[in-house]
Amino acid sequence: MSAVPVVSCVGVTKRFESLTAVDRLDLDIPAGIVFGYLGPNGAGKTTTIRMIMGLARPTSGSLALFGVDPASPRNADVRMRVGYLPGELRLDEKLTSGEQLEHWARLRGPTSVDATYRDALVDRLGLALDRPVRTLSTGNRRKVGLVGAFMSRPELLVLDEPTSGLDPLMQQEFLSMVDEVRAEGRTVLLSSHVLSEVERLADRVVVLRAGQMVLDGAVPELQRQALQKLTATFNGAPPVAELEGLAAVTDVTVDGATVTCRITGPVHPVLDVLARHRVEAITAPQREIEDAFLDLYDTSGSPEQPNGADT
Amino acid sequence: MIGGKEVVVHAHRRLRRGALIWAGVLLALIFSVMAAWPGFRDSETGVLTDDLPTAVTRAFGLSDLGDPAGFLDSNLFSLVLPLLLICVAVAWANGLTAGDEDAGRLEVELSLPVTRAGLMVRRFIVAAGWLVGLGVVVVLGLLVAMPALDLDASLARTMGATAAVVLLAILHGAVYYCAAGLGAPRNQALGIAGGVAGAGYVLRSLLPLSEPLEPVEVVSPWYWLLGDGPVQHGVPIGGAVLALVMVGVLLMVGNWGLTRRDIRPA
């Protein structure tokens, strides 16, 4: 495996007039991992991906794909190593699914696609190759895009909201496909709103907020960042004042004899309080990536961009 | 470029059906216009137009209607045929460049190992090839209609006039290509190409109605290629060369812009 990062961003900024879509992003994606790229609409995920694909240029900073500038016409061949599924996939309405895939395969070159592997993908996703693209549902169009991205066995897969519109069975099939890619030592850049999907697949996660990276780490680290929720039901009046008095406790809510709170630090002071009262039941669910994600956004209000554009 | 042949084949497939329809339209136009020739030949139209100022007869394509070459210039090559072929050229350039970009179809296409300029120039060349094909259809239509209706005009000049009209259309397609390459969305690029076509026609045909404004016609592509009537007086060679150079310059400027800007997302 090459020591050169598959993707490298150094101080990458992208501005659209007064809007800063991506702000001084430093990022390295090593080979062989599934890289989760998270953030709400307008955070800058799609803009970053489009710069990686050479479809947009950074306003400042430098970006390299397999060590070269992806936007330079001299480096068009580097895209032979990449499979891309855009968030907004638009197909040629005059073609059938099969013709669209053939067209993409020929643009990659005559020997770039293993027809057996492509047909296996088509079977797995249940795609009808003879159906005109214009008659396909959103989910089936997505399947065409997925087969198109995977079929050349690229070293890097760049997938922007890949399961949008897919039914749960196909979502499971997609997870298996990504697992196989990882097992083969290839790299996946996965941008998704489906946090469970990222949690299940990603080796490393970066979270963007308003164009800036707010978190970069492995999924367990992100889970550890999530505040621990705790729900306790008392036989009698709950010790609300005592819990609220603890520095590590936030968001205390009371529903009859049940108290729910979030714990930001060590748990033992909370347990000490609970031990002094008659607790009937305690629930402390496993920390989820979704909680960490929401916590990150709760701290600074809406991260949406001013014009609401999907950047 | 990897996949260059596929770009050509795919663009060809996209235009084929429309090209066949346009070929039918052009043949219908030629036969309907030519059907009027016996009436003009036998009428005293020349007497009527002789009394009009030269500038007016030229502006409205009325010169020498009783003469075979004048009839062809007036009824086909002065406005109708150029206008139709310019519409075809701009529509095709739109479909293959800014129209495709605005529809979001370039997003995947340009993520493949193709260069932007390589993709777009090949598409433009395919469209230009189909326009030449339409020119051949026009010539074939005239070859059938002229002897059948006893219209005795120079075949070489008629073919030259057709080539000039095709080149005029390609030039306007290149104007669209340049605007789209520099980043104009489809409506803006359509406006620019349409504006150039309209302004070119006005500069060549209407402004010269005023004698002091007559010299401005030299900046019009219509004047470069159609001169004072391509069948009557021949196609100005210098103008044709200038138009070819302009096509090359417009393509280069379009490619320069295309490779330096962002591709618009869907």
Side-chain angles (χ1 to χ4, degrees):
Chain A
M1 207 58 67
S2 167
V4 176
V6 173
V7 174
S8 173
C9 301
V10 180
V12 167
T13 296
K14 181 66 181 177
R15 289 193 195 90
F16 299 103
E17 297 173 356
S18 62
L19 168 69
T20 301
V22 177
D23 192 6
R24 289 162 292 163
L25 180 68
D26 293 314
L27 184 69
D28 274 351
I29 304 179
I33 68 165
V34 176
F35 181 90
Y37 204 41
L38 294 175
N41 294 337
K45 304 185 302 294
T46 298
T47 300
T48 313
I49 285 173
R50 297 188 82 247
M51 288 191 285
I52 290 169
M53 295 309 303
L55 297 165
R57 290 169 182 273
T59 308
S60 62
S62 68
L63 188 148
L65 176 64
F66 292 105
V68 300
D69 174 8
S72 167
R74 285 191 301 275
N75 300 327
D77 287 357
V78 78
R79 290 195 286 276
M80 186 70 97
R81 302 165 73 179
V82 186
Y84 174 48
L85 174 66
E88 291 281 342
L89 176 67
R90 300 294 165 84
L91 306 171
D92 189 333
E93 304 284 324
K94 291 178 181 168
L95 301 180
T96 64
S97 310
E99 287 168 343
Q100 180 72 80
L101 292 171
E102 276 296 318
H103 173 56
W104 287 338
R106 289 196 195 106
L107 285 176
R108 284 186 171 277
T111 57
S112 62
V113 174
D114 171 1
T116 310
Y117 180 59
R118 183 202 58 201
D119 292 345
L121 290 170
V122 166
D123 286 344
R124 287 174 74 171
L125 292 173
L127 182 63
L129 290 180
D130 56 349
R131 281 188 61 187
V133 161
R134 66 178 177 279
T135 66
L136 296 181
S137 64
T138 307
N140 280 322
R141 286 169 186 249
R142 211 81 196 131
K143 291 177 190 175
V144 175
L146 280 170
V147 175
F150 277 72
M151 67 182 176
S152 65
R153 294 182 190 273
E155 291 171 61
L156 169 65
L157 275 159
V158 179
L159 308 172
D160 195 357
E161 302 296 343
T163 55
S164 168
L166 292 186
D167 63 46
L169 280 176
M170 287 303 118
Q171 288 179 19
Q172 284 303 313
E173 198 59 52
F174 166 75
L175 298 180
S176 302
M177 285 160 58
V178 174
D179 278 336
E180 289 163 18
V181 168
R182 183 197 351 236
E184 291 169 11
R186 295 188 276 139
T187 312
V188 180
L189 167 52
L190 175 65
S191 168
S192 177
H193 286 116
V194 185
L195 298 175
S196 59
E197 189 174 276
V198 176
E199 191 168 17
R200 152 89 166 70
L201 288 171
D203 301 298
R204 189 176 141 205
V205 173
V206 156
V207 180
L208 280 191
R209 180 174 61 198
Q212 292 185 319
M213 188 194 294
V214 290
L215 190 138
D216 178 3
V219 169
E221 285 174 42
L222 187 55
Q223 286 169 329
R224 275 197 294 277
Q225 294 231 354
L227 301 182
Q228 176 68 63
K229 274 186 193 170
L230 185 141
T231 302
T233 303
F234 294 85
N235 185 1
V240 177
E242 282 183 68
L243 287 170
E244 286 178 335
L246 297 173
V249 172
T250 64
D251 303 336
V252 178
T253 57
V254 183
D255 182 11
T258 300
V259 173
T260 301
C261 64
R262 301 174 85 185
I263 304 166
T264 61
V267 180
H268 65 84
V270 182
L271 294 177
D272 288 345
V273 170
L274 298 182
R276 290 198 297 273
H277 296 83
R278 295 176 63 188
V279 180
E280 285 195 336
I282 295 178
T283 309
Q286 185 183 349
R287 287 181 280 196
E288 303 283 347
I289 193 173
E290 187 164 351
D291 296 322
F293 186 80
L294 294 173
D295 290 342
L296 282 167
Y297 283 91
D298 278 351
T299 56
S300 68
S302 170
E304 292 288 331
Q305 299 290 354
N307 65 357
D310 192 0
T311 57
Chain B
M1 185 181 79
I2 301 167
K5 183 180 167 193
E6 174 61 13
V7 173
V8 170
V9 171
H10 187 60
H12 166 79
R13 255 192 244 131
R14 284 179 65 178
L15 298 184
R16 184 175 50 198
R17 192 170 162 214
L20 292 175
I21 292 170
W22 276 111
V25 169
L26 288 171
L27 284 175
L29 170 78
I30 287 164
F31 291 130
S32 60
V33 167
M34 296 297 280
W37 163 242
F40 278 93
R41 180 188 57 202
D42 301 334
S43 73
E44 298 296 320
T45 319
V47 175
L48 180 69
T49 55
D50 283 349
D51 294 338
L52 294 172
T54 309
V56 172
T57 55
R58 219 186 84 186
F60 296 101
L62 299 175
S63 55
D64 302 324
L65 284 169
D67 170 64
F71 175 82
L72 287 175
D73 277 340
S74 303
N75 289 291
L76 270 184
F77 293 106
S78 66
L79 179 63
V80 179
L81 196 55
L83 196 61
L84 272 180
L85 286 175
I86 287 171
C87 288
V88 176
V90 170
W92 284 349
N94 167 52
L96 294 173
T97 59
D100 235 13
E101 183 175 355
D102 287 345
R105 283 190 291 268
L106 292 184
E107 194 82 3
V108 174
E109 207 101 334
L110 291 176
S111 75
L112 298 168
V114 297
T115 60
R116 297 179 186 184
L119 179 89
M120 288 305 180
V121 161
R122 281 172 173 79
R123 288 180 167 196
F124 185 85
I125 289 170
V126 171
W130 273 112
L131 282 166
V132 171
L134 291 182
V136 171
V137 168
V138 169
V139 169
L140 291 175
L142 289 170
L143 278 177
V144 171
M146 282 164 61
L149 295 162
D150 198 22
L151 191 148
D152 186 20
S154 160
L155 187 59
R157 283 202 173 167
T158 305
M159 289 169 70
T162 308
V165 169
V166 168
L167 183 51
L168 185 67
I170 291 173
L171 178 61
H172 285 83
V175 169
Y176 185 98
Y177 182 97
C178 181
L182 290 171
R186 65 189 298 267
N187 287 341
Q188 272 182 30
L190 283 170
I192 291 167
V196 169
Y201 179 75
V202 168
L203 287 171
R204 182 216 173 210
S205 303
L206 300 184
L207 287 191
L209 287 173
S210 162
E211 202 167 320
L213 293 176
E214 195 173 340
V216 299
E217 69 183 1
V218 297
V219 301
S220 165
W222 294 68
Y223 181 76
W224 303 344
L225 286 158
L226 305 180
D228 291 324
V231 183
Q232 294 171 90
H233 305 286
V235 177
I237 299 301
V241 171
L242 180 59
L244 275 173
V245 170
M246 281 304 294
V247 169
V249 169
L250 288 164
L251 294 187
M252 280 195 289
V253 172
N255 287 342
W256 179 85
L258 184 64
T259 52
R260 279 161 183 77
R261 68 173 175 85
D262 294 349
I263 299 299
R264 288 186 295 280

